[in-house]
Amino acid sequence: MSAMKMQKEDSLSSIKQLNRRQILAAAAMTLAFSQDRHPNVADASATPESALPRPSSGAMPASPMPIQVRHIDGHTILENGFIHVEFDVKKAAITNLTADFFGRGLYQNNLLGLDGIRLEGVTVNGTISEPRIKAGAAVATGHETKISPVAIHLPQIDLAVGADGHASIISQWTIVLQPAARWFDLQLHTQILDDRHPDMVRLRFGCNQWFFNALYERGNMQRREGLSQAFCSHSPLHVFYTMDCENGSISIVPQQPDVILESNLFAGTVSQWGGSQCGLDQVLCGASNILNTWVPLKNIHPAGTGKPPRPTMVTSFRVYASDMAFPVHTLPPETTVEFDDLAALYTAIYGSSAGVLGSYDIPGSAYPNLATPRRPYGDGNSFFDPDAWETVSALSYSGDPLLARLARQVVERSGKYMSHDGQIPHNFNGKVPTDIAISGATQSGPNVFWVMACMDYVLGTGDESWLKSHYSTIKRAVEWLLDRYDPKVKLVKFTGSLFIDVFIRYGYTLDTNMATVGLLELMAPVSEFCGDAAGAHRYRELHQAISEGIRAKLWNGKDHFVTQRNTNGSIRDLVDYDGNFGALAFGVVNDPTWRAAMFSRLDNGPHTHPGGRGTWVSEKYYGPTDCYNGNTGDSATAMGRIWWLDMKARHRYPTISNCAMFSRTYQNIRGDLLADTWLTERYNARGQCIRTPYYHEYPEIVSMVMRTMRYGIDVHMDRVIIRPIEPMAFDFQMGQLRVTYSPDRVVVQVPGQRKIRYEIFHLAPHGSYRLSNGLSIKADAAGRVEFSGNAGLTYVLQKI
């Protein structure tokens, strides 16, 4: 996104490998978030790594542990190696929920808060009816074989009302646990016996994590614990989940969301529950007095009016538990990717990408960072320069239909406010679109990256009908850029940078032209698919022409492309890393000697990969006269978006040195994400985290680099390329996108229904293979196989 008006690139320069409490403490000191400061930041310290042995992948164990049922001192315990659920008869509540992601039965921290999961009654004056069990014992069924689901039927729970202890509400609970499952099902059959019932009956899920996010039918609502606030909604809740790099994750999925009258979020404080806590209330009877806004907890109480309560309420919830810092409610059990990749992918998607959405309040809004509760960039949202593209891409490939729907809303909203000549808004200030960047410049990036976001949504979800219905709008966005094409020079002329808005760039600039080349390569098959043959032909011709123009007009004659050629023929050159890595990434450089010279020049820059993290903006410093308003805030940083181009260039040309650099920087940044769960906006010259905390970009770029380059799963409109940067066996699955890969066997399925060409690399040179449709195929000398088919079908390629 853009630089802040006030520079702060050095204010967080000492932050590195921080846990979330340390990041929040730094934010409080450097960004004036005094009222958001965590109550324990003074004692913040990094979480020590677990000494427990850890499998290398996220796959289920070959021999899962049998389900165990125990009754100890008034506690009923149910566990299967992955989760441990404990019901306390005295408290009439589930008080302990622990997990072991790898199914070894090595349980550690309690994921629940002090009160756990319990039924409560609340009156308008705030009196809480405590649950109790008068008599009875838990009864287990189905555990005789040790491999079947086990159901625990708990003794009847009463809610006492009044001094006489009269029970007007009774509830029968059943806990069901499956073998080798990371969840349990909680089923409730609750009855109202008479008119003395409380004004509200709620099932409270108290959680022990820092971050929480709720996906309602209306949209996304994210906050953090410790705020002493509550949020009440009548919109059906699809899923509520928490994340914490110290205390794991819980996901709560109502099985009948329409049955719940109200789903309320709460963010507790130390004084209330004996520890910072957040949670969810599922209201079975009654309604709150204030809806759809965050208010202090003390101001929330039952409204005392509304529809008469239902005499019988049958509800069910699936509760997922993980001792890792990412939720597991959408995790495919079959995946065998490296565990650190799996963890980074789900951490990025559910922590950063889903977290920055603001769609409950403003449908289609995506912010640069989390709400904690304030955001450093204020009400600025949906920046397509390229921030919102990164968010849309991660969500579209998440395999989660809820998140994909929210991603679609982001692109539709910006497309709706396209100007009459085809310009996409740079961002929104609250609900108001603006075409101008914070620096005051006009950027080419919003049009480029909005179109790319549209394509990522379509290719990640297979929603080809949406593409056809929006093609004319997408084409207008492309034509807005091409209106600036100069056929004499074979370059686009533009005033303003591609995606570093404070940098002054004008004329025939490298950044906008190399991005246009990449965009045209993407658009040609899209136009063909949408029945626009003439547009496809034109885009292919312009793709070739602009590539020629870059080589002819912007090459410095030795080892890189210059920043810009002015209209009078003179040049301006700061040796930009975005444009040069982009020219490599998008195939502009067709001479191997040029490529070798470029990589040598770029990799030997003084700060190209600071601390092995990210990619610097330029070899020469953009000083005050090179930046709008003298704002050099982005001049001395390593940006995730440039690192994406850097890694894309190395994936395209996987020499030994390029693969080594790819692996080094990828593992370093992935390591930071796994250690911290959320990352800051930039890295400095020493590879230290700086600037805005809880920023979306680096986590999302990690997910893109992982999928399209490390695992090499690159989906286009007309072809699918499977080319991991280094050969390795894996099973990558996200929703309808699945690739199982080894030199002897490949299984591939991508979303959609269109005709498509499959290209698979790193197979046995000259090897013989048989496709699942009976076709025999022989690999070429490089181990490459190609065949045609349809998206949506599963193809198996087996070596024979």
Side-chain angles (χ1 to χ4, degrees), residues 307-386:
K307 296 180 180 179
R310 297 161 295 174
T312 302
M313 297 161 283
V314 179
T315 50
S316 179
F317 305 89
R318 181 156 288 183
V319 181
Y320 294 78
S322 172
D323 55 335
M324 301 298 169
F326 57 91
V328 295
H329 60 275
T330 62
L331 183 69
E334 304 87 3
T335 185
T336 58
V337 299
E338 182 180 329
F339 173 75
D340 284 351
D341 284 337
L342 182 75
L345 186 62
Y346 279 80
T347 297
I349 290 170
Y350 287 96
S352 295
S353 301
V356 300
L357 296 173
S359 51
Y360 193 99
D361 290 330
I362 304 177
S365 61
Y367 291 81
N369 57 327
L370 301 185
T372 60
R374 288 174 51 190
R375 304 181 194 264
Y377 285 95
D379 65 353
N381 65 86
S382 299
F383 293 82
F384 267 104
D385 70 338

Side-chain angles (χ1 to χ4, degrees), residues 645-699:
L645 290 168
D646 179 344
M647 299 291 267
K648 191 173 178 69
R650 296 178 198 282
H651 179 260
R652 189 172 192 125
Y653 305 109
T655 63
I656 293 175
S657 60
N658 280 345
C659 288
M661 184 62 74
F662 182 104
S663 179
R664 178 191 175 204
T665 58
Y666 173 79
Q667 291 185 20
N668 285 343
I669 296 176
R670 183 189 67 179
D672 290 348
L673 177 60
L674 294 176
D676 305 335
T677 305
W678 292 274
L679 295 178
T680 59
E681 185 175 2
R682 307 280 189 248
Y683 287 101
N684 67 7
R686 294 174 293 281
Q688 296 171 317
C689 296
I690 61 170
R691 296 199 4 189
T692 315
Y694 310 114
Y695 202 83
H696 73 101
E697 182 162 89
Y698 269 106

Side-chain angles (χ1 to χ4, degrees), residues 146-339:
K146 300 291 186 182
I147 59 173
S148 302
V150 172
I152 296 290
H153 306 282
L154 298 172
Q156 178 179 296
I157 297 173
D158 296 344
L159 284 183
V161 178
D164 61 357
H166 170 75
S168 63
I169 293 177
I170 60 173
S171 186
Q172 184 69 56
W173 289 17
T174 301
I175 300 173
V176 181
L177 183 62
Q178 306 277 349
R182 295 186 175 101
W183 73 84
F184 70 90
D185 288 317
L186 177 60
Q187 302 167 356
L188 283 71
H189 187 279
T190 306
Q191 292 180 280
I192 297 178
L193 302 181
D194 56 44
D195 292 338
R196 296 178 60 183
H197 62 80
D199 297 290
M200 175 181 285
V201 178
R202 67 192 182 196
L203 180 65
R204 166 153 290 190
F205 294 86
C207 305
N208 196 28
Q209 288 77 43
W210 173 85
F211 161 102
F212 58 95
N213 197 9
L215 297 178
Y216 292 95
E217 178 65 25
R218 173 170 161 173
N220 177 81
M221 179 55 68
Q222 172 268 319
R223 280 298 189 276
R224 70 172 178 89
E225 45 69 281
L227 301 175
S228 191
Q229 291 188 343
F231 180 88
C232 306
S233 174
H234 285 172
S235 179
L237 176 71
H238 292 294
V239 61
F240 168 89
Y241 67 89
T242 64
M243 292 176 62
D244 193 316
C245 56
E246 299 171 9
N247 296 305
S249 171
I250 297 175
S251 299
I252 300 163
V253 182
Q255 299 301 288
Q256 308 97 351
D258 294 337
V259 173
I260 305 301
L261 299 180
E262 188 173 288
S263 295
N264 301 338
L265 315 177
F266 62 85
T269 61
V270 172
S271 61
Q272 287 175 302
W273 289 292
S276 292
Q277 185 184 91
C278 65
L280 170 71
D281 288 338
Q282 295 286 267
V283 177
L284 311 181
C285 167
S288 297
N289 60 318
I290 302 174
L291 295 173
N292 300 324
T293 186
W294 286 96
V295 296
L297 276 168
K298 63 182 180 180
N299 294 344
I300 292 288
H301 56 76
T305 60
K307 296 180 180 179
R310 297 161 295 174
T312 302
M313 297 161 283
V314 179
T315 50
S316 179
F317 305 89
R318 181 156 288 183
V319 181
Y320 294 78
S322 172
D323 55 335
M324 301 298 169
F326 57 91
V328 295
H329 60 275
T330 62
L331 183 69
E334 304 87 3
T335 185
T336 58
V337 299
E338 182 180 329
F339 173 75

Side-chain angles (χ1 to χ4, degrees), residues 619-637:
E619 182 179 296
K620 299 179 182 179
Y621 183 76
Y622 273 76
T625 59
D626 298 307
C627 300
Y628 288 102
N629 305 314
N631 187 345
T632 60
D634 281 334
S635 300
T637 64

Side-chain angles (χ1 to χ4, degrees), residues 473-546:
T473 304
I474 294 169
K475 185 174 182 178
R476 283 175 59 205
V478 176
E479 294 299 325
W480 182 82
L481 283 168
L482 297 181
D483 285 345
R484 291 151 180 77
Y485 176 69
D486 185 341
K488 295 180 181 178
V489 185
K490 293 186 177 180
L491 292 172
V492 172
K493 184 171 70 173
F494 201 85
T495 298
S497 71
L498 175 74
F499 55 37
I500 311 176
D501 71 346
V502 297
F503 285 6
I504 297 174
R505 292 173 179 171
Y506 50 86
Y508 303 104
T509 60
L510 174 61
D511 59 351
T512 291
N513 278 280
M514 68 84 187
T516 304
V517 167
L519 187 65
L520 291 171
E521 182 181 26
L522 179 72
M523 276 298 298
V526 170
S527 297
E528 208 157 51
F529 174 79
C530 293
D532 182 9
H537 177 73
R538 177 168 176 263
Y539 291 154
R540 289 190 176 102
E541 285 191 332
L542 286 172
H543 172 272
Q544 182 177 347
I546 296 174

Side-chain angles (χ1 to χ4, degrees), residues 67-72 75-88 93-100 107 110-112 116-117 150 152 154 173-178 181-186 205 319-321:
I67 296 176
Q68 299 289 333
V69 179
R70 290 177 288 157
H71 305 281
I72 303 174
H75 293 252
T76 295
I77 298 169
L78 190 61
E79 57 189 25
N80 67 354
F82 288 92
I83 61 174
H84 165 109
V85 186
E86 188 171 330
F87 182 81
D88 186 330
I94 297 174
T95 55
N96 194 295
L97 175 62
T98 54
D100 177 1
Y107 309 114
N110 187 5
L111 304 178
L112 296 176
I117 304 174
V150 172
I152 296 290
L154 298 172
W173 289 17
T174 301
I175 300 173
V176 181
L177 183 62
Q178 306 277 349
R182 295 186 175 101
W183 73 84
F184 70 90
D185 288 317
L186 177 60
F205 294 86
V319 181
Y320 294 78

